[in-house]
Amino acid sequence: MPGDRFPHEFVPKTKPGASTDRRLFGYNVEEFPALQAPFRRSTWFVNQPREAFMHPDQMLIINSMEQNEFLVGRTPEDEFERLQELDGIVDVYFPGDRWVMDSDDMDRRELLSEIERSVEGQKALYRMVEDAELDVELYPIIVGWEPWHYEHCRELFEVFGTKSCAFDGTEYNSKFNLWDDLEALVETLGPDRIYLNGRVSHEHLLHAPDEVVAFSGKTSILDECRQPNGEHNPERLTETINWRIEALHSSQTALDEFMVIN
């Protein structure tokens, strides 16, 4: 397996081949050392040269965390076949998806079954990639939101040989719920680095645990730097991204510590 390629700070979610994404994020390796694309769009790199979208020195991250409609029926074998096609093209892959479920309609036994399905699938894919000696770095996705959910993911660190992981934040509307669940993840499994997928809000990042070292997204950032004519202001783009990176590197002290009454 290759060496450590874990991403840091802001990683734009991109649509390969899109002219706006190529213009704003591609070939800007100093500001955007890594770009992320979803699994369903990774076929673009099978049919097109990687350099048509991004600088050769930029890392390409493929992420399996997508909406349920794109996850149904996807197997570890499907993921492995795609990684074989992208060998030497993709640098980092986050396997295991968000499991397909509606937690409000599931009992504890059903929920456990879905968590185990994700964990077993990630383990199977890792072993296939390792046996094939593909040139891609895999990091596990930790699924769930309660300590007992996380406990069932513990063996992923052992199999993958890492304490770094990804966590999907796309379904969180409450920054407080996100902070609580991330803190529970840190307290339960003790990861050294977390890649937070789908959360770029300044408030979401401001008090995230120190273990959160990278985050991905795009939409709200582009909205903030869009000009009346529809174009994006490059200087404003840099400013709004740096504002979020500063939040990520803040003291990250819980809000209630500032509310102690003497």
Side-chain angles (χ1 to χ4, degrees):
M1 296 292 287
D4 182 38
R5 300 175 182 173
F6 199 80
H8 288 78
E9 299 183 340
F10 174 58
V11 179
K13 284 188 173 183
T14 64
K15 179 180 178 181
S19 58
T20 297
D21 288 0
R22 183 175 62 249
R23 183 175 67 257
L24 293 177
F25 305 122
Y27 284 83
N28 187 352
V29 67
E30 292 185 3
E31 195 164 6
F32 307 111
L35 304 181
Q36 175 181 297
F39 179 88
R40 72 181 185 277
R41 299 195 184 279
S42 61
T43 52
W44 190 91
F45 294 101
V46 176
N47 302 314
Q48 304 287 338
R50 168 179 158 139
E51 287 73 17
F53 182 68
M54 58 193 297
H55 190 281
D57 292 336
Q58 286 178 305
M59 280 203 313
L60 175 59
I61 298 171
I62 300 298
N63 195 336
S64 69
M65 293 178 276
E66 302 183 72
Q67 294 92 340
N68 287 350
E69 61 186 290
F70 301 115
L71 299 177
V72 175
R74 184 184 298 170
T75 67
E77 288 76 18
D78 295 331
E79 294 177 277
F80 177 65
E81 182 178 345
R82 181 64 50 78
L83 291 178
Q84 284 184 304
E85 294 177 307
L86 296 175
D87 191 24
I89 297 174
V90 59
D91 298 290
V92 172
Y93 184 66
F94 291 114
D97 65 50
R98 293 195 314 257
W99 62 97
V100 182
M101 58 172 287
D102 184 349
S103 59
D104 293 336
D105 296 330
M106 301 181 71
D107 60 29
R108 186 183 179 99
R109 185 182 300 275
E110 292 171 320
L111 177 56
L112 176 58
S113 176
E114 292 297 329
I115 293 174
E116 290 179 339
R117 183 181 67 83
S118 177
V119 170
E120 291 303 313
Q122 292 189 62
K123 290 162 50 181
L125 177 63
Y126 179 86
R127 288 166 176 149
M128 284 187 277
V129 169
E130 187 175 52
D131 289 344
E133 299 183 342
L134 301 185
D135 183 23
V136 59
E137 185 85 357
L138 268 62
Y139 296 97
I141 296 173
I142 302 301
V143 294
W145 59 90
E146 293 184 6
W148 74 269
H149 302 163
Y150 301 143
E151 282 293 350
H152 285 280
C153 300
R154 183 180 296 277
E155 61 180 319
L156 288 172
F157 286 154
E158 300 172 4
V159 172
F160 281 62
T162 182
K163 292 287 283 183
S164 301
C165 63
F167 185 83
D168 190 20
T170 54
E171 297 300 308
Y172 283 86
N173 294 318
S174 168
K175 59 189 177 185
F176 300 106
N177 288 345
L178 177 61
W179 295 339
D180 288 346
D181 293 353
L182 286 170
E183 289 288 358
L185 168 58
V186 171
E187 292 173 2
T188 304
L189 297 183
D192 52 20
R193 296 177 299 187
I194 299 173
Y195 180 82
L196 180 59
N197 179 60
R199 288 291 90 185
V200 297
S201 162
H202 181 272
E203 288 301 311
H204 278 105
L205 297 169
L206 189 59
H207 299 288
D210 291 332
E211 288 77 8
V212 176
V213 300
F215 60 100
S216 70
K218 179 180 68 174
T219 301
S220 61
I221 288 176
L222 293 189
D223 289 344
E224 290 179 24
C225 67
R226 184 176 288 108
Q227 303 176 106
N229 64 1
E231 296 295 321
H232 298 88
N233 185 316
E235 292 184 3
R236 177 57 181 156
L237 176 64
T238 298
E239 290 172 1
T240 190
I241 291 171
N242 287 341
W243 185 52
R244 288 163 166 82
I245 292 175
E246 288 172 4
L248 183 71
H249 293 307
S250 69
S251 61
Q252 301 182 356
T253 305
L255 287 176
D256 56 7
E257 291 185 19
F258 293 98
M259 301 174 66
V260 176
I261 299 177
N262 294 325

